[in-house]
């Protein structure tokens, strides 16, 4: 199977070949998804070992997603041109090399660089997996099931990251969370070379380098400006300048795509309301979700005093919910329509995240578990349904570029969520922290950078000073987390309203694929396309 290169829009394959190929793609997306969140529980250990500043800590958390988001569109288009399997395997090898660098990074700067390189490699993997699903499963009913499994793996991987990190950190140093990737990637390279077919756009055109540069500069510039504005305000001259340059680059990128005969990204796809609603819903939902995950991991360890493994297990309901949500997506879309399913789950996410607005230091874990379960289940549906809507709204031969839009929304939302929510929490924390009189100014400044820094600082202070410092630090952090939860809930509610309006009065049935292949008898008969929309 792997020796055949398919340049059309569909691949003629047996059911066994399709589903074994899907297993390889699930393995690939799980690795990338786990890496996006596995670091969350390691942040306290990293703070203690590498002593990053508050800003560096944020960059360690979101450098991966920033670079990934900036390159996904370019790499998605490249996969259409050079071959999706080839780019997937090349990126997997690079991901392994960057994981080794991250595991043994000697300083915060090296770790940030390694996380950025992981983002470059991850950008070659994510759009290739989803576009290969489009090629492997031309029948929309089979594809809905496949995307449901893929989406469950992606969201479950992100939720599983803290659990895996907790197990490793219980026995090894923080770099072990990166070494976990190596054996999985070796398995992926071997099985992928053997099981996956090659596919590409039969008429790809040239890969426009200027478009690549403009898309990267635009995404990274705007996100950087938003992040720094949230953290430090707009008074610094570089913040508005970077935002204007990024916005200008994105404007030039769009104008150039409209002129090119074979654009890097066909921006006309956004005229389809399914495409726009799905992309925006994914973006906003991940802004709310990722930021809250970023702070709750610290809350569990540094406020409630959980060990890393216990903290990871405490977040396990999110993992269970995301698997269930991804697998139920096709059935929910068939029964209620994509419009109702998407908006209801966005509202459910808002309810679950908003519950964090009332969490205190001694709140019962049952409330946290219920919140994690609700958010994970709803996110599983939103992410999977959004990917299906985006993929089915685009031509099959442009699946890589369309998939990249879905993944860009996902990764950009992750990066913005960590930046915005993390910055809100950091700002409220710093303004509410009370340092006991007589504390050394340098130590006081260090404690004001983050809760992790305050815990570390308190370890070297007398109990009479350390205890009130820790009490104030934890109270201020929880107050910041409450505000972040309510902010994220408001964003998700707004996303639900937006999706409901954009998806109204759309056709109930999808257009037929160019070369439909009947689903085999063994395929799940109840698995519909997620494109059934409410009238």
């Amino acid at each position: 199977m792997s020796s055949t290169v398919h340049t059309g829009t569909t691949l003629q394959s047996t059911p066994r070949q399709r589903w074994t190929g899907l297993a390889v793609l699930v393995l690939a997306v799980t690795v990338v998804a786990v890496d996006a969140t596995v670091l969350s529980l390691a942040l306290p250990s990293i703070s203690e070992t590498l002593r990053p500043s508050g800003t560096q800590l944020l960059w360690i958390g979101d450098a991966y997603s920033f670079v990934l988001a900036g390159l996904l569109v370019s790499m998605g288009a490249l996969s259409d041109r050079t071959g999706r399997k080839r780019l997937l395997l090349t990126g997997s090898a690079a991901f392994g090399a960057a994981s080794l660098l991250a595991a043994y990074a000697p300083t915060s700067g090296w770790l940030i660089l390694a996380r950025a390189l992981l983002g470059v490699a991850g950008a070659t993997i994510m759009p290739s997996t989803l576009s290969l699903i489009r090629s492997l499963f031309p029948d929309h009913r089979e594809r809905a099931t496949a995307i449901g499994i893929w989406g469950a793996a992606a969201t479950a991987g992100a939720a599983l990251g803290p659990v895996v990190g907790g197990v490793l950190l219980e026995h090894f140093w923080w770099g072990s969370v990166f070494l976990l990737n190596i054996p999985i990637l070796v398995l992926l390279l071997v099985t992928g070379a053997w099981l996956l077919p090659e596919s590409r756009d039969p008429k790809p055109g040239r890969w426009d380098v200027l478009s690549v540069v403009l898309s990267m500069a635009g995404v990274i510039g705007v996100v950087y400006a938003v992040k720094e504005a949230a953290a430090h305000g707009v008074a610094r001259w570089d913040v508005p300048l970077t935002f204007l340059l990024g916005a200008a680059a994105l404007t030039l990128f769009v104008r150039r795509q409209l002129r090119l005969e074979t654009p890097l990204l066909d921006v006309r796809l956004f005229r389809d309301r399914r495409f726009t609603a799905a992309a925006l819903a994914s973006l906003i939902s991940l802004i709310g979700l990722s930021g809250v995950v970023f702070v709750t991991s610290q809350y569990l360890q540094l406020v409630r005093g959980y060990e890393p493994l216990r903290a990871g297990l405490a977040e396990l309901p999110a993992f269970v919910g995301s698997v269930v949500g991804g697998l139920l997506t096709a059935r929910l879309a068939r029964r209620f329509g994509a419009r109702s399913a998407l908006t209801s789950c966005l509202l459910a996410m808002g309810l679950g995240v908003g519950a964090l607005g009332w969490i205190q230091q001694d709140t019962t874990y049952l409330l946290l578990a219920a919140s994690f379960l609700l958010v994970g289940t709803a996110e599983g549906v939103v992410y999977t349904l959004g990917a299906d809507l985006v993929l089915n709204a685009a031509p099959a031969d442009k699946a890589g570029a369309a998939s990249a839009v879905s993944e860009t929304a996902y990764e950009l939302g992750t990066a913005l969520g960590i930046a915005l929510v993390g910055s809100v929490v950091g700002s409220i924390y710093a303004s509410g922290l009370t340092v006991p009189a007589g504390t050394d100014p340098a130590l006081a400044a260090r404690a004001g950078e983050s809760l992790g820094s305050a815990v570390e600082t308190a370890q070297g202070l007398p109990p009479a000073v350390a205890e009130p410092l820790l009490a104030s630090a934890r109270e201020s952090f929880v107050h910041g987390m409450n505000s972040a939860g309510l902010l994220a809930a408001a964003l998700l509610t707004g996303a639900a309203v937006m999706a409901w309006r954009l998806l109204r009065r759309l056709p109930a049935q999808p257009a037929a694929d160019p070369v439909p292949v009947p689903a085999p008898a063994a395929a799940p008969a109840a698995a519909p396309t997620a494109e059934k929309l409410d009238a």
Side-chain angles (χ1 to χ4, degrees):
M1 183 175 177
S2 61
S3 61
T4 304
V5 177
H6 301 262
T7 56
T9 58
T10 60
L11 304 180
Q12 301 300 323
S13 57
T14 65
R16 181 178 180 181
Q17 289 173 324
R18 290 195 293 273
W19 295 106
T20 54
L22 176 65
V24 177
L25 299 178
V26 163
L27 187 64
V29 75
T30 302
V31 170
V32 179
V34 166
D35 210 76
T37 58
V38 72
L39 199 63
S40 60
L41 289 178
L43 290 176
S45 298
I46 291 173
S47 296
E48 183 177 351
T49 304
L50 300 182
R51 298 180 179 273
S53 66
T55 300
Q56 285 179 321
L57 193 63
L58 285 177
W59 276 112
I60 289 171
D62 58 27
Y64 175 78
S65 295
F66 277 2
V67 176
L68 191 58
L71 282 173
L72 275 168
V73 170
S74 301
M75 292 302 179
L78 184 62
S79 73
D80 289 336
R81 289 160 168 76
T82 65
R84 291 145 188 164
K85 172 184 174 180
R86 176 185 297 176
L87 196 63
L88 172 65
L89 297 182
T90 301
S92 298
F95 203 89
S99 296
L100 284 173
L101 177 60
Y104 295 102
T107 65
S108 298
W110 275 104
L111 182 55
I112 292 171
L113 173 63
R115 292 280 287 167
L117 293 176
L118 281 167
V120 175
T124 67
I125 297 175
M126 292 296 280
S128 298
T129 60
L130 193 52
S131 56
L132 277 169
I133 288 176
R134 175 66 183 259
S135 299
L136 278 169
F137 297 92
D139 178 74
H140 61 75
R141 297 209 312 168
E142 270 198 320
R143 190 191 310 141
T145 302
I147 291 177
I149 296 171
W150 176 90
T155 54
L160 188 60
V163 180
V164 174
V167 172
L168 291 173
L169 291 168
E170 194 77 9
H171 304 285
F172 306 102
W173 95 113
W174 59 263
S176 62
V177 301
F178 296 107
L179 293 181
L180 173 70
N181 297 332
I182 306 302
I184 300 176
L185 290 166
V186 170
L187 177 62
L188 171 61
L189 289 169
V190 173
T191 56
W194 175 38
L195 293 172
L196 290 177
E198 183 60 281
S199 70
R200 62 172 65 98
D201 186 346
K203 297 179 180 179
R206 68 187 184 91
W207 200 54
D208 187 56
V209 177
L210 181 56
S211 294
V212 173
V213 174
L214 288 173
S215 67
M216 285 184 59
V219 171
I220 294 176
V222 169
V223 173
Y224 173 82
V226 171
K227 172 184 177 298
E228 292 300 306
H232 306 294
V234 296
R236 284 173 31 187
W237 64 270
D238 61 315
V239 172
L241 177 61
T242 305
F243 180 83
L244 290 175
L245 290 175
L250 287 177
T251 302
L252 291 174
F253 172 79
V254 171
R255 294 179 63 178
R256 185 169 181 82
Q257 303 318 293
L258 291 173
R259 293 197 305 267
L260 290 174
E261 183 178 351
T262 54
L264 190 70
L265 172 66
D266 187 358
V267 295
R268 295 178 181 86
L269 288 171
F270 285 95
R271 293 175 180 173
D272 189 313
R273 285 182 288 158
R274 291 175 301 169
F275 192 93
T276 302
L280 289 178
S282 297
L283 173 68
I284 298 173
S285 67
L286 262 296
I287 289 176
L289 177 66
S290 63
V292 170
V293 168
F294 180 77
V295 297
T296 53
S297 294
Q298 298 178 70
Y299 164 79
L300 290 171
Q301 291 183 81
L302 301 176
V303 175
R304 297 183 76 102
Y306 287 7
E307 294 297 322
L309 176 57
R310 186 182 179 191
L313 293 175
E315 296 180 1
L316 194 59
F319 162 71
V320 175
S322 62
V323 173
V324 173
L327 295 177
L328 287 179
T329 300
R331 181 175 298 179
L332 291 174
R334 175 176 65 90
R335 179 158 186 174
F336 301 107
R339 185 191 188 199
S340 296
L342 187 64
T343 53
S344 297
C345 287
L346 285 168
L347 288 173
M349 282 188 69
L351 178 63
V353 169
L356 298 177
W358 284 269
I359 295 293
Q360 299 300 320
Q361 297 185 44
D362 56 351
T363 299
T364 175
Y365 170 71
L366 289 178
L367 178 58
L368 278 171
S371 174
F372 289 151
L373 180 62
L374 180 60
V375 171
T377 305
E379 171 57 21
V381 176
V382 171
Y383 181 57
T384 306
L385 186 53
D388 190 41
L389 288 171
V390 165
L391 200 60
N392 284 291
D397 57 358
K398 303 298 181 185
S403 303
V405 172
S406 176
E407 296 305 323
T408 298
Y410 182 90
E411 297 301 334
L412 193 57
T414 300
L416 283 172
I418 293 175
L420 289 174
V421 176
S423 298
V424 167
V425 174
S427 177
I428 294 175
Y429 165 81
S431 63
L433 179 65
T434 301
V435 179
T439 305
D440 182 270
L443 294 178
R446 174 70 177 164
E449 290 181 354
S450 67
L451 177 58
S453 297
V455 171
E456 182 185 348
T457 300
Q459 291 174 355
L461 295 175
V465 178
E467 291 178 4
L469 173 63
L470 284 176
S472 176
R474 287 168 176 156
E475 182 180 356
S476 297
F477 183 88
V478 169
H479 181 52
M481 186 181 72
N482 296 154
S483 300
L486 296 175
L487 172 63
L491 286 173
L492 289 162
T493 302
V497 173
M498 175 275 302
W500 182 260
R501 292 178 61 85
L502 285 176
L503 292 177
R504 60 185 176 181
R505 293 192 297 274
L506 289 179
Q509 296 297 332
D513 286 320
V515 186
V517 178
T529 176
E531 291 183 304
K532 180 186 175 186
L533 303 173
D534 291 340

